[in-house]
CSV table of all heavy atoms in Angstrom, one decimal:
chain,number,residue,atom,x,y,z
S,180,LEU,N,76.8,9.6,-143.6
S,180,LEU,CA,77.8,8.9,-144.5
S,180,LEU,C,77.9,7.4,-144.2
S,180,LEU,O,77.9,6.6,-145.1
S,180,LEU,CB,79.2,9.5,-144.3
S,180,LEU,CG,80.4,8.8,-145.1
S,180,LEU,CD1,80.1,9.0,-146.6
S,180,LEU,CD2,81.7,9.5,-144.8
S,181,VAL,N,77.8,7.0,-142.9
S,181,VAL,CA,77.8,5.6,-142.6
S,181,VAL,C,76.5,4.9,-143.2
S,181,VAL,O,76.6,3.7,-143.6
S,181,VAL,CB,77.9,5.4,-141.0
S,181,VAL,CG1,77.7,4.0,-140.6
S,181,VAL,CG2,79.1,6.0,-140.4
S,182,LYS,N,75.4,5.6,-143.2
S,182,LYS,CA,74.2,5.1,-143.8
S,182,LYS,C,74.5,4.8,-145.3
S,182,LYS,O,73.9,3.8,-145.9
S,182,LYS,CB,72.9,6.1,-143.7
S,182,LYS,CG,72.5,6.1,-142.2
S,182,LYS,CD,71.8,4.8,-141.8
S,182,LYS,CE,71.0,4.9,-140.5
S,182,LYS,NZ,70.4,3.5,-140.0
S,183,GLN,N,75.2,5.7,-145.9
S,183,GLN,CA,75.5,5.5,-147.3
S,183,GLN,C,76.4,4.2,-147.5
S,183,GLN,O,76.2,3.5,-148.5
S,183,GLN,CB,76.3,6.7,-147.9
S,183,GLN,CG,75.4,7.8,-148.3
S,183,GLN,CD,76.3,9.0,-148.9
S,183,GLN,OE1,76.8,9.8,-148.2
S,183,GLN,NE2,76.4,8.9,-150.2
S,184,PHE,N,77.3,4.0,-146.6
S,184,PHE,CA,78.2,2.8,-146.6
S,184,PHE,C,77.2,1.6,-146.5
S,184,PHE,O,77.4,0.6,-147.2
S,184,PHE,CB,79.2,2.8,-145.4
S,184,PHE,CG,80.3,3.9,-145.5
S,184,PHE,CD1,81.0,4.1,-144.3
S,184,PHE,CD2,80.5,4.5,-146.7
S,184,PHE,CE1,81.9,5.0,-144.4
S,184,PHE,CE2,81.4,5.5,-146.6
S,184,PHE,CZ,82.3,5.8,-145.5
S,185,GLU,N,76.2,1.7,-145.6
S,185,GLU,CA,75.3,0.6,-145.5
S,185,GLU,C,74.5,0.2,-146.7
S,185,GLU,O,74.4,-0.9,-147.1
S,185,GLU,CB,74.4,0.9,-144.3
S,185,GLU,CG,73.4,-0.2,-144.0
S,185,GLU,CD,72.5,0.0,-142.7
S,185,GLU,OE1,72.2,1.3,-142.5
S,185,GLU,OE2,72.3,-0.9,-142.0
S,186,GLU,N,74.1,1.2,-147.4
S,186,GLU,CA,73.3,1.1,-148.6
S,186,GLU,C,74.2,0.4,-149.6
S,186,GLU,O,73.7,-0.5,-150.4
S,186,GLU,CB,72.8,2.4,-149.1
S,186,GLU,CG,71.7,3.0,-148.2
S,186,GLU,CD,71.4,4.5,-148.5
S,186,GLU,OE1,72.0,5.0,-149.6
S,186,GLU,OE2,70.6,5.2,-147.9
S,187,ILE,N,75.4,0.8,-149.7
S,187,ILE,CA,76.3,0.3,-150.8
S,187,ILE,C,76.6,-1.2,-150.4
S,187,ILE,O,76.5,-2.1,-151.4
S,187,ILE,CB,77.7,1.1,-150.8
S,187,ILE,CG1,77.5,2.4,-151.3
S,187,ILE,CG2,78.7,0.4,-151.5
S,187,ILE,CD1,78.5,3.4,-151.0
S,188,LEU,N,76.9,-1.5,-149.1
S,188,LEU,CA,77.2,-2.9,-148.7
S,188,LEU,C,75.9,-3.8,-149.1
S,188,LEU,O,76.0,-4.9,-149.5
S,188,LEU,CB,77.6,-3.1,-147.3
S,188,LEU,CG,79.0,-2.5,-147.1
S,188,LEU,CD1,79.2,-2.3,-145.5
S,188,LEU,CD2,80.0,-3.4,-147.6
S,189,ASN,N,74.7,-3.3,-148.7
S,189,ASN,CA,73.5,-3.9,-149.0
S,189,ASN,C,73.2,-4.2,-150.5
S,189,ASN,O,72.5,-5.1,-150.9
S,189,ASN,CB,72.3,-3.2,-148.5
S,189,ASN,CG,72.2,-3.2,-146.8
S,189,ASN,OD1,72.9,-4.1,-146.3
S,189,ASN,ND2,71.5,-2.4,-146.3
S,190,SER,N,73.8,-3.4,-151.3
S,190,SER,CA,73.6,-3.5,-152.8
S,190,SER,C,74.6,-4.5,-153.4
S,190,SER,O,74.6,-4.7,-154.6
S,190,SER,CB,73.7,-2.2,-153.4
S,190,SER,OG,75.1,-1.7,-153.4
S,191,LYS,N,75.5,-5.0,-152.5
S,191,LYS,CA,76.6,-5.9,-153.1
S,191,LYS,C,76.3,-7.3,-152.6
S,191,LYS,O,76.8,-7.7,-151.5
S,191,LYS,CB,78.0,-5.4,-152.7
S,191,LYS,CG,78.5,-4.2,-153.2
S,191,LYS,CD,79.6,-3.6,-152.4
S,191,LYS,CE,80.9,-4.4,-152.6
S,191,LYS,NZ,81.6,-4.1,-153.9
S,192,PRO,N,75.5,-8.1,-153.2
S,192,PRO,CA,75.2,-9.4,-152.8
S,192,PRO,C,76.3,-10.4,-152.6
S,192,PRO,O,76.3,-11.3,-151.8
S,192,PRO,CB,74.2,-10.0,-153.8
S,192,PRO,CG,74.5,-9.1,-155.0
S,192,PRO,CD,74.9,-7.9,-154.6
S,193,GLU,N,77.4,-10.1,-153.3
S,193,GLU,CA,78.6,-10.9,-153.2
S,193,GLU,C,79.4,-10.6,-151.9
S,193,GLU,O,80.4,-11.3,-151.6
S,193,GLU,CB,79.4,-10.8,-154.5
S,193,GLU,CG,80.2,-9.5,-154.6
S,193,GLU,CD,79.4,-8.3,-155.1
S,193,GLU,OE1,78.2,-8.4,-155.1
S,193,GLU,OE2,80.1,-7.2,-155.3
S,194,VAL,N,79.1,-9.6,-151.2
S,194,VAL,CA,80.0,-9.1,-150.1
S,194,VAL,C,79.0,-8.9,-148.8
S,194,VAL,O,78.1,-8.1,-148.9
S,194,VAL,CB,80.7,-7.8,-150.3
S,194,VAL,CG1,81.3,-7.3,-149.1
S,194,VAL,CG2,81.7,-8.0,-151.5
S,195,ASP,N,79.3,-9.7,-147.8
S,195,ASP,CA,78.5,-9.4,-146.6
S,195,ASP,C,78.8,-8.2,-145.9
S,195,ASP,O,80.1,-7.9,-145.8
S,195,ASP,CB,78.7,-10.7,-145.6
S,195,ASP,CG,77.9,-11.9,-146.1
S,195,ASP,OD1,77.1,-11.7,-147.0
S,195,ASP,OD2,78.0,-13.0,-145.5
S,196,GLY,N,77.9,-7.5,-145.4
S,196,GLY,CA,78.2,-6.3,-144.7
S,196,GLY,C,77.4,-6.2,-143.4
S,196,GLY,O,76.4,-6.7,-143.2
S,197,PHE,N,78.0,-5.4,-142.5
S,197,PHE,CA,77.3,-5.0,-141.2
S,197,PHE,C,77.6,-3.7,-140.9
S,197,PHE,O,78.8,-3.2,-140.9
S,197,PHE,CB,77.8,-6.1,-140.2
S,197,PHE,CG,77.2,-5.7,-138.7
S,197,PHE,CD1,75.9,-6.0,-138.4
S,197,PHE,CD2,78.0,-5.2,-137.8
S,197,PHE,CE1,75.5,-5.7,-137.2
S,197,PHE,CE2,77.5,-4.8,-136.5
S,197,PHE,CZ,76.2,-5.1,-136.2
S,198,VAL,N,76.6,-2.9,-140.6
S,198,VAL,CA,76.8,-1.5,-140.2
S,198,VAL,C,76.0,-1.1,-139.0
S,198,VAL,O,74.8,-1.6,-138.8
S,198,VAL,CB,76.3,-0.5,-141.4
S,198,VAL,CG1,76.4,0.9,-140.9
S,198,VAL,CG2,77.2,-0.8,-142.6
S,199,LYS,N,76.6,-0.5,-138.0
S,199,LYS,CA,75.9,-0.1,-136.7
S,199,LYS,C,76.4,1.3,-136.3
S,199,LYS,O,77.7,1.5,-136.4
S,199,LYS,CB,76.3,-1.1,-135.8
S,199,LYS,CG,75.6,-1.0,-134.3
S,199,LYS,CD,75.9,-2.2,-133.5
S,199,LYS,CE,75.4,-2.2,-132.1
S,199,LYS,NZ,75.7,-3.4,-131.4
S,200,ILE,N,75.5,2.1,-136.0
S,200,ILE,CA,75.8,3.4,-135.5
S,200,ILE,C,75.5,3.4,-134.0
S,200,ILE,O,74.4,3.1,-133.5
S,200,ILE,CB,75.0,4.5,-136.1
S,200,ILE,CG1,75.4,4.6,-137.6
S,200,ILE,CG2,75.3,5.9,-135.5
S,200,ILE,CD1,74.5,5.4,-138.5
S,201,PHE,N,76.6,3.7,-133.1
S,201,PHE,CA,76.4,3.7,-131.7
S,201,PHE,C,75.9,5.0,-131.1
S,201,PHE,O,76.6,6.1,-131.4
S,201,PHE,CB,77.8,3.4,-131.0
S,201,PHE,CG,78.1,1.9,-131.1
S,201,PHE,CD1,78.4,1.3,-132.4
S,201,PHE,CD2,78.1,1.1,-130.0
S,201,PHE,CE1,78.8,0.0,-132.5
S,201,PHE,CE2,78.5,-0.3,-130.1
S,201,PHE,CZ,78.8,-0.9,-131.4
S,202,PRO,N,74.8,5.1,-130.5
S,202,PRO,CA,74.3,6.3,-130.0
S,202,PRO,C,75.1,6.8,-128.8
S,202,PRO,O,75.6,6.2,-128.0
S,202,PRO,CB,72.8,5.9,-129.4
S,202,PRO,CG,73.0,4.5,-129.1
S,202,PRO,CD,73.9,3.9,-130.0
S,203,GLY,N,75.1,8.2,-128.8
S,203,GLY,CA,75.7,9.0,-127.6
S,203,GLY,C,77.3,8.8,-127.6
S,203,GLY,O,77.8,9.3,-126.6
S,204,VAL,N,77.9,8.3,-128.6
S,204,VAL,CA,79.4,8.2,-128.5
S,204,VAL,C,80.0,9.0,-129.6
S,204,VAL,O,79.4,9.4,-130.5
S,204,VAL,CB,79.9,6.8,-128.6
S,204,VAL,CG1,79.3,6.0,-127.4
S,204,VAL,CG2,79.5,6.2,-129.9
S,205,ALA,N,81.3,9.4,-129.4
S,205,ALA,CA,82.0,10.3,-130.4
S,205,ALA,C,83.1,9.5,-131.0
S,205,ALA,O,83.5,8.4,-130.5
S,205,ALA,CB,82.5,11.5,-129.6
S,206,HIS,N,83.6,10.0,-132.1
S,206,HIS,CA,84.7,9.4,-132.9
S,206,HIS,C,85.8,9.0,-132.0
S,206,HIS,O,86.2,9.8,-131.1
S,206,HIS,CB,85.2,10.6,-133.9
S,206,HIS,CG,86.4,10.2,-134.7
S,206,HIS,ND1,86.2,9.5,-135.9
S,206,HIS,CD2,87.7,10.3,-134.5
S,206,HIS,CE1,87.4,9.2,-136.5
S,206,HIS,NE2,88.3,9.7,-135.6
S,207,GLY,N,86.3,7.8,-132.2
S,207,GLY,CA,87.4,7.3,-131.3
S,207,GLY,C,87.0,6.5,-130.1
S,207,GLY,O,87.8,6.1,-129.3
S,208,TRP,N,85.6,6.4,-129.9
S,208,TRP,CA,85.1,5.8,-128.7
S,208,TRP,C,85.6,4.4,-128.4
S,208,TRP,O,85.7,3.9,-127.2
S,208,TRP,CB,83.6,5.9,-128.6
S,208,TRP,CG,82.8,4.6,-129.0
S,208,TRP,CD1,82.4,3.6,-128.3
S,208,TRP,CD2,82.6,4.3,-130.4
S,208,TRP,NE1,81.8,2.7,-129.0
S,208,TRP,CE2,81.9,3.0,-130.4
S,208,TRP,CE3,82.8,4.9,-131.6
S,208,TRP,CZ2,81.4,2.4,-131.5
S,208,TRP,CZ3,82.3,4.3,-132.7
S,208,TRP,CH2,81.7,3.0,-132.7
S,209,THR,N,86.0,3.6,-129.4
S,209,THR,CA,86.4,2.2,-129.1
S,209,THR,C,87.7,2.0,-128.5
S,209,THR,O,88.0,1.0,-128.0
S,209,THR,CB,86.3,1.4,-130.4
S,209,THR,OG1,87.3,1.7,-131.3
S,209,THR,CG2,84.9,1.5,-131.0
S,210,VAL,N,88.6,3.0,-128.7
S,210,VAL,CA,90.0,2.9,-128.2
S,210,VAL,C,90.4,4.0,-127.3
S,210,VAL,O,91.5,3.9,-126.6
S,210,VAL,CB,91.0,2.7,-129.3
S,210,VAL,CG1,90.8,1.2,-129.9
S,210,VAL,CG2,90.9,3.7,-130.4
S,211,ARG,N,89.7,5.2,-127.4
S,211,ARG,CA,90.1,6.3,-126.6
S,211,ARG,C,89.1,6.7,-125.4
S,211,ARG,O,88.9,7.8,-125.2
S,211,ARG,CB,90.3,7.5,-127.5
S,211,ARG,CG,91.5,7.3,-128.5
S,211,ARG,CD,92.2,8.5,-129.0
S,211,ARG,NE,91.5,9.5,-129.6
S,211,ARG,CZ,91.2,9.6,-130.9
S,211,ARG,NH1,91.7,8.7,-131.7
S,211,ARG,NH2,90.4,10.6,-131.4
S,212,TYR,N,88.5,5.6,-125.0
S,212,TYR,CA,87.5,5.9,-123.9
S,212,TYR,C,88.3,6.0,-122.5
S,212,TYR,O,89.4,5.6,-122.3
S,212,TYR,CB,86.6,4.7,-123.8
S,212,TYR,CG,87.3,3.3,-123.6
S,212,TYR,CD1,87.6,2.8,-122.3
S,212,TYR,CD2,87.8,2.5,-124.7
S,212,TYR,CE1,88.2,1.6,-122.2
S,212,TYR,CE2,88.4,1.3,-124.6
S,212,TYR,CZ,88.6,0.9,-123.3
S,212,TYR,OH,89.3,-0.4,-123.1
S,213,ASN,N,87.6,6.7,-121.7
S,213,ASN,CA,88.0,6.8,-120.3
S,213,ASN,C,87.7,5.5,-119.5
S,213,ASN,O,86.5,5.2,-119.3
S,213,ASN,CB,87.4,8.0,-119.6
S,213,ASN,CG,87.7,8.2,-118.1
S,213,ASN,OD1,88.4,7.4,-117.5
S,213,ASN,ND2,87.3,9.3,-117.5
S,214,THR,N,88.8,4.8,-119.0
S,214,THR,CA,88.6,3.5,-118.3
S,214,THR,C,87.8,3.6,-117.1
S,214,THR,O,87.3,2.6,-116.6
S,214,THR,CB,90.0,2.9,-118.0
S,214,THR,OG1,90.7,3.7,-117.4
S,214,THR,CG2,90.6,2.6,-119.4
S,215,GLU,N,87.6,4.8,-116.5
S,215,GLU,CA,86.9,5.1,-115.3
S,215,GLU,C,85.5,5.5,-115.5
S,215,GLU,O,84.7,5.7,-114.5
S,215,GLU,CB,87.6,6.0,-114.4
S,215,GLU,CG,89.0,5.6,-113.9
S,215,GLU,CD,89.7,6.6,-113.1
S,215,GLU,OE1,89.2,7.7,-112.9
S,215,GLU,OE2,90.9,6.3,-112.7
S,216,ASP,N,85.1,5.6,-116.8
S,216,ASP,CA,83.7,6.0,-117.2
S,216,ASP,C,83.0,4.7,-117.6
S,216,ASP,O,83.2,4.2,-118.6
S,216,ASP,CB,83.8,7.0,-118.2
S,216,ASP,CG,82.4,7.6,-118.7
S,216,ASP,OD1,81.3,6.7,-118.5
S,216,ASP,OD2,82.3,8.6,-119.3
S,217,ALA,N,82.1,4.3,-116.7
S,217,ALA,CA,81.4,3.0,-116.9
S,217,ALA,C,80.6,3.0,-118.2
S,217,ALA,O,80.6,1.9,-118.9
S,217,ALA,CB,80.5,2.6,-115.7
S,218,ALA,N,80.0,4.1,-118.6
S,218,ALA,CA,79.2,4.1,-119.8
S,218,ALA,C,80.1,4.1,-121.0
S,218,ALA,O,79.7,3.2,-121.9
S,218,ALA,CB,78.3,5.4,-119.8
S,219,ALA,N,81.1,4.8,-121.0
S,219,ALA,CA,82.1,4.8,-122.0
S,219,ALA,C,82.7,3.4,-122.2
S,219,ALA,O,82.9,2.9,-123.4
S,219,ALA,CB,83.3,5.8,-121.8
S,220,VAL,N,83.0,2.6,-121.2
S,220,VAL,CA,83.7,1.4,-121.2
S,220,VAL,C,82.6,0.4,-121.8
S,220,VAL,O,83.0,-0.4,-122.6
S,220,VAL,CB,84.1,0.9,-119.8
S,220,VAL,CG1,84.4,-0.6,-119.9
S,220,VAL,CG2,85.3,1.7,-119.3
S,221,LYS,N,81.3,0.5,-121.4
S,221,LYS,CA,80.3,-0.4,-121.9
S,221,LYS,C,80.1,-0.3,-123.4
S,221,LYS,O,80.0,-1.2,-124.1
S,221,LYS,CB,79.0,-0.1,-121.1
S,221,LYS,CG,77.8,-1.0,-121.6
S,221,LYS,CD,76.6,-0.6,-120.7
S,221,LYS,CE,75.4,-1.6,-121.3
S,221,LYS,NZ,74.1,-1.2,-120.6
S,222,SER,N,80.1,1.0,-124.0
S,222,SER,CA,80.0,1.3,-125.3
S,222,SER,C,81.2,0.6,-126.1
S,222,SER,O,81.0,0.1,-127.2
S,222,SER,CB,79.8,2.7,-125.7
S,222,SER,OG,78.5,3.2,-125.2
S,223,ALA,N,82.3,0.9,-125.6
S,223,ALA,CA,83.5,0.3,-126.2
S,223,ALA,C,83.5,-1.2,-126.3
S,223,ALA,O,83.8,-1.8,-127.3
S,223,ALA,CB,84.8,0.9,-125.5
S,224,GLU,N,83.1,-1.8,-125.2
S,224,GLU,CA,83.1,-3.2,-125.1
S,224,GLU,C,82.0,-3.8,-126.0
S,224,GLU,O,82.2,-4.9,-126.6
S,224,GLU,CB,82.9,-3.7,-123.6
S,224,GLU,CG,84.2,-3.5,-122.8
S,224,GLU,CD,83.9,-3.9,-121.4
S,224,GLU,OE1,82.9,-4.2,-120.9
S,224,GLU,OE2,85.0,-4.1,-120.7
S,225,GLU,N,81.0,-3.1,-126.1
S,225,GLU,CA,79.9,-3.6,-127.1
S,225,GLU,C,80.5,-3.6,-128.5
S,225,GLU,O,80.3,-4.6,-129.3
S,225,GLU,CB,78.7,-2.7,-127.0
S,225,GLU,CG,77.5,-3.2,-127.9
S,225,GLU,CD,76.3,-2.1,-127.9
S,225,GLU,OE1,76.2,-1.4,-126.9
S,225,GLU,OE2,75.5,-2.2,-128.9
S,226,ALA,N,81.2,-2.5,-128.9
S,226,ALA,CA,81.8,-2.5,-130.2
S,226,ALA,C,82.9,-3.6,-130.4
S,226,ALA,O,83.0,-4.3,-131.4
S,226,ALA,CB,82.5,-1.2,-130.4
S,227,HIS,N,83.6,-3.9,-129.3
S,227,HIS,CA,84.6,-5.0,-129.3
S,227,HIS,C,83.9,-6.3,-129.6
S,227,HIS,O,84.5,-7.1,-130.4
S,227,HIS,CB,85.5,-5.0,-128.0
S,227,HIS,CG,86.2,-3.8,-127.7
S,227,HIS,ND1,86.6,-3.5,-126.5
S,227,HIS,CD2,86.5,-2.7,-128.5
S,227,HIS,CE1,87.2,-2.2,-126.5
S,227,HIS,NE2,87.2,-1.8,-127.7
S,228,GLN,N,82.9,-6.5,-128.9
S,228,GLN,CA,82.1,-7.8,-129.1
S,228,GLN,C,81.6,-7.9,-130.5
S,228,GLN,O,81.6,-9.1,-131.1
S,228,GLN,CB,81.0,-8.0,-128.1
S,228,GLN,CG,81.5,-8.2,-126.7
S,228,GLN,CD,82.5,-9.4,-126.6
S,228,GLN,OE1,83.6,-9.3,-126.2
S,228,GLN,NE2,82.0,-10.6,-127.1
Side-chain angles (χ1 to χ4, degrees):
L180 179 60
V181 175
K182 288 288 187 186
Q183 284 184 270
F184 294 166
E185 183 175 36
E186 290 168 7
I187 291 162
L188 289 168
N189 287 343
S190 72
K191 292 166 69 79
E193 74 283 7
V194 174
D195 282 351
F197 174 75
V198 174
K199 183 173 175 179
I200 297 171
F201 284 68
V204 299
H206 181 85
W208 94 95
T209 68
V210 287
R211 298 212 297 270
Y212 56 91
N213 179 351
T214 56
E215 296 179 0
D216 182 334
V220 170
K221 184 179 179 182
S222 291
E224 289 182 344
E225 182 181 340
H227 300 164
Q228 287 307 124

